[in-house]
Amino acid sequence: MTETTVTTAAPAPASATASGAAERRGRPRNAAVDTAVVETVLRLLEDGVGLGELSMERIAREAGVGKATVYRRWAGKEALMLDVLRSLEHAAPELAGESVRDDLVTLLETLRRRGLAKRSSAVLRTVLAQIKAHPELWREYHEKVVRVRREAVHAVLRRGAATGELRSDLDVELMGDLIVSPMLSRAMFHDRAELPEDLPGKIVDAVLEGIRPR
């Protein structure tokens, strides 16, 4: 793929007509280019290329597009890497909202399935091992991805405390960690750990045994 295949136009020169500029601004981005760039980054990470070795220039060259094409889509490497990490995330599950146990199991099942996706696990392990050296990227990933996932668990726990399904004196953040951490540990940090279908239920039941009202 070369720069000439990209349908997103370059910024209009000063001599361009108003109608021509408006037409260019209205053109949609070429989704194939977006996909090619993200896939290129994933491939490089799978091949063991470190975050520090990834430059926008190298990514553009490996993807077969022009550097300007990449910069029109992402302001810098941090913004691009955030989209790469988001591409590995499963869509947030729809919760029935009727049972704390069932909703927690549903949320953990999403993490289990991500752990079963070998590419997702391998790339995330690689990135998470290096991401602290890139504070801006870590902050963005935590705010845009991790915090959203944690808040979904916390919301279920708060609802359970309000309805009487759980004790009212819960430390919601600590309980959320107790529920999510075993699955994350197996899915993300132990590449040979088993992730059986009944694992989400076992984890949730073990925690709920201690935080249900006596």
Side-chain angles (χ1 to χ4, degrees):
M1 184 182 299
T2 65
E3 178 66 13
T4 57
T5 63
V6 181
T7 59
T8 302
S15 59
T17 65
S19 61
E23 180 184 354
R24 273 187 286 274
R25 282 197 299 270
R27 289 180 182 176
R29 275 169 47 161
N30 188 337
V33 173
D34 291 20
T35 300
V37 172
V38 169
E39 284 293 317
T40 295
V41 177
L42 288 171
R43 174 175 55 79
L44 290 171
L45 290 171
E46 285 180 297
D47 290 344
V49 178
L51 292 181
E53 302 172 73
L54 283 176
S55 66
M56 296 292 269
E57 291 78 7
R58 178 176 183 178
I59 292 166
R61 184 173 65 251
E62 296 275 354
V65 301
K67 183 171 68 173
T69 298
V70 178
Y71 274 110
R72 275 199 296 270
R73 287 158 166 76
W74 296 279
K77 187 170 75 173
E78 285 77 14
L80 170 55
M81 283 303 306
L82 186 59
D83 275 356
V84 169
L85 291 172
R86 281 172 166 164
S87 76
L88 301 173
E89 293 290 316
H90 288 255
E94 193 157 335
L95 303 179
E98 298 173 356
S99 160
V100 166
R101 180 193 184 275
D102 291 349
D103 285 353
L104 291 174
V105 169
T106 297
L107 291 169
L108 284 193
E109 176 62 13
T110 301
L111 293 180
R112 188 184 79 88
R113 289 183 179 277
R114 189 179 67 178
L116 290 173
K118 297 303 181 185
R119 183 184 205 187
S120 174
S121 295
V123 171
L124 280 173
R125 276 197 296 272
T126 298
V127 172
L128 292 178
Q130 307 174 50
I131 200 171
K132 287 298 183 70
H134 302 266
E136 283 297 322
L137 178 56
W138 169 247
R139 188 158 42 247
E140 284 290 306
Y141 178 68
H142 190 273
E143 288 295 320
K144 302 287 177 62
V145 179
V146 177
R147 184 182 295 276
V148 173
R149 195 165 56 224
R150 283 169 57 89
E151 180 53 34
V153 175
H154 294 168
V156 173
L157 293 172
R158 283 194 292 267
R159 191 189 77 220
T163 61
E165 291 179 79
L166 306 177
R167 284 169 26 206
S168 60
D169 61 343
L170 290 181
D171 180 332
V172 168
E173 291 201 8
L174 176 59
M175 292 306 106
D177 289 344
L178 286 176
I179 290 168
V180 173
S181 295
M183 184 65 76
L184 281 180
S185 177
R186 285 200 180 198
M188 302 308 305
F189 305 118
H190 303 287
D191 57 353
R192 291 183 177 82
E194 293 186 359
L195 297 170
E197 289 186 8
D198 62 348
L199 182 59
K202 285 184 174 180
I203 293 173
V204 171
D205 287 341
V207 177
L208 289 184
E209 182 64 27
I211 62 177
R212 284 196 178 103
R214 299 291 181 185

